[in-house]
Amino acid sequence: MEYSHCRLLLVCSVLALCLCNQGARGDELTSDFYDYKCPGVYTVVQQHVFSAMRDELRMGASLLRLHFHDCFVNGCDGSILLDGDEGEKFARPNQNSVRGYEVIDAIKADLESMCPGVVSCADVVALAAGYGVLFSGGPYYDVLLGRRDGLVANQSGAEKGLPSPFEPISSIVQKFSDVGLDTTDVVVLSGAHTIGRARCGLFSNRLTSTTSSADPTLDSTMAANLQSLCAGGDGNQTTALDISSADAFDKHYYQNLLTKKGLLSSDQGLFSGDEDVVASTTKALVQKYSDDGEQFFSDFGASMVKMGSIRPLTGSEGEIRCNCRVAN
Ligand code: HEM
Ligand SMILES: *[C@@H]1O[C@H](CO)[C@@H](O)[C@H](O)[C@H]1NC(C)=O
Ligand SMILES: *[C@@H]1O[C@H](CO)[C@@H](O)[C@H](O)[C@H]1NC(C)=O
């Protein structure tokens, strides 16, 4: 593979050393991090996300999920982007599932010619996710910046840390808690499923088969339609996570749950779970957001900032990668 966009590796590393080592360990992320170092960063990311979504609206959702899957494994450090057999991208929750890597490459290539060695891949992912939300009709929130890139991927960390749609809500809540997010964040951030698609293999457990009977918490008409979509066993067939407005970022995700029209078990479980403390908390929140879209939007922005701040590398930790797919 050719990495012609990546200037000379040496130039990049030297610049990175000169420009980026002023910070100290444990620095906070800020919204003005690139205001002097690379003020054009917003325009570049925005234009790429806009044109990617003009080609395929779903890409906004894919970029949002990319950020989530980056942050949950070793913090938001761009580690999901690293190629190689031990890559996180080949872990079960990511392989043939996470999308958007080419969009990140294209953004990074432009940024390297504009301000070489300055903008981290982890920040590119965070910004791209923000524009993906915004251009889907979702809230604007101030994306905090100043992350640096990790040197290694953690495949087993991805297998362990990323939530599965098949596990109970209590165990999803535990995984969020492991990275400093609470039960409210689980419900708010699950609202990301107001956009994007999921493959049959991720919800066919809820349909009638030789080994399972239909899920009573799934609307029967919707179940019949999914059954025919997934007939033939192509686990890669996709359908909208939000049946009522597939590509629009809105509160319909929560309204669907009130009528048993959540797609994944882990979606519907937020409303239809067994009556324990967790279930009654998540149920009340679903009810609130199904009613109050403004509250959902402002809480979503706040939870995204929180998720985007999971264990960032700052100061002199990590590096600014030249090419998002390989450590320098
Ligand atoms: C709460 C636990 C969660 C579980 C169990 C879960 C699970 C899933 C699954 C199984 C898919 C479909 C994957 C496929 O078809 O290959 C998916 C898609 C998606 N997820 Fe989640 N997810 C969770 C939370 C989140 C969070 C926190 C975000 C972002 C803040 C998010 C954003 C998305 C988006 C946008 C898509 C659609 C991606 C696309 O169309 O390319 N999810 N999720
Ligand atoms: C990978 O993630 C696990 C958590 O699942 C953690 O214990 C381990 O230290 C991580 N390894 C590396 C190399 O970061
Ligand atoms: C889904 O697509 C992937 C990649 O193209 C392929 O490896 C896999 O076999 C497909 N799965 C099914 C069930 O068709």
Side-chain angles (χ1 to χ4, degrees):
M1 197 188 271
E2 215 185 318
Y3 302 124
S4 53
H5 66 264
C6 191
R7 296 291 176 91
L8 286 170
L9 193 64
L10 188 65
V11 175
C12 183
S13 318
V14 169
L15 271 171
L17 276 177
C18 301
L19 292 174
C20 300
N21 275 0
Q22 319 102 313
R25 217 184 152 86
D27 282 357
E28 297 282 328
L29 303 179
T30 58
S31 57
D32 61 358
F33 191 80
Y34 295 112
D35 283 10
Y36 297 100
K37 291 182 226 201
C38 191
V41 62
Y42 297 98
T43 313
V44 170
V45 178
Q46 190 176 331
Q47 284 172 347
H48 276 279
V49 174
F50 189 84
S51 87
M53 289 177 70
R54 197 177 41 205
D55 292 347
E56 185 201 21
L57 211 42
R58 178 188 174 190
M59 190 50 75
S62 303
L63 291 167
L64 172 56
R65 184 164 185 245
L66 186 61
H67 183 42
F68 160 47
H69 282 211
D70 183 30
C71 291
F72 265 57
V73 184
N74 282 19
C76 314
D77 66 345
S79 56
I80 192 173
L81 305 172
L82 290 169
D83 281 338
D85 294 346
E86 292 307 303
E88 287 165 29
K89 52 171 68 160
F90 304 113
R92 241 176 309 118
N94 293 333
Q95 187 162 31
N96 299 323
S97 180
V98 166
R99 314 166 74 242
Y101 298 113
E102 295 77 13
V103 178
I104 301 300
D105 288 339
I107 295 170
K108 178 67 173 171
D110 273 6
L111 289 174
E112 283 305 301
S113 51
M114 182 190 265
C115 357
V118 171
V119 183
S120 69
C121 298
D123 278 349
V124 170
V125 172
L127 279 171
Y131 287 119
V133 169
L134 188 65
F135 296 153
S136 301
Y140 172 82
Y141 57 92
D142 239 352
V143 176
L144 300 185
L145 300 166
R147 299 169 191 80
R148 290 168 62 82
D149 296 321
L151 304 176
V152 292
N154 189 342
Q155 193 169 96
S156 63
E159 306 269 357
K160 270 191 239 129
L162 289 166
S164 146
F166 309 120
E167 63 188 330
I169 301 296
S170 57
S171 114
I172 291 176
V173 164
Q174 182 59 52
K175 286 182 175 176
F176 275 63
S177 159
D178 290 344
V179 294
L181 300 176
D182 61 26
T183 307
T184 303
D185 297 313
V186 173
V187 179
V188 171
L189 291 173
S190 291
H193 291 175
T194 176
I195 52 175
R197 304 286 183 278
R199 294 171 299 155
C200 284
L202 284 314
F203 55 82
S204 52
N205 63 312
R206 309 184 66 200
L207 308 175
T208 312
S209 75
T210 48
T211 52
S212 63
S213 53
D215 181 340
T217 70
L218 177 60
D219 172 81
S220 57
T221 307
M222 182 166 158
N225 290 334
L226 294 174
Q227 196 90 43
S228 75
L229 174 81
C230 301
D234 180 0
N236 288 331
Q237 278 285 344
T238 63
T239 192
L241 281 155
D242 173 357
I243 190 177
S244 43
S245 54
D247 295 306
F249 196 106
D250 55 29
K251 65 179 180 181
H252 291 161
Y253 168 81
Y254 298 105
Q255 292 176 331
N256 295 338
L257 301 184
L258 306 185
T259 53
K260 299 192 191 176
K261 287 178 183 151
L263 184 63
L264 308 175
S265 300
S266 53
D267 294 320
Q268 194 58 48
L270 297 173
F271 185 73
S272 308
D274 295 334
E275 289 303 326
D276 58 11
V277 179
V278 173
S280 57
T281 309
T282 60
K283 184 172 181 172
L285 288 166
V286 168
Q287 259 153 345
K288 174 163 89 170
Y289 296 127
S290 70
D291 182 48
D292 190 345
E294 281 182 32
Q295 188 71 54
F296 167 46
F297 272 32
S298 71
D299 289 358
F300 188 81
S303 287
M304 283 300 291
V305 170
K306 217 168 144 185
M307 184 182 89
S309 304
I310 297 172
R311 286 174 48 202
L313 302 173
T314 59
S316 56
E317 300 172 294
E319 64 182 11
I320 304 299
R321 245 176 254 156
C322 286
N323 175 324
C324 292
R325 291 174 183 269
V326 287
N328 293 345

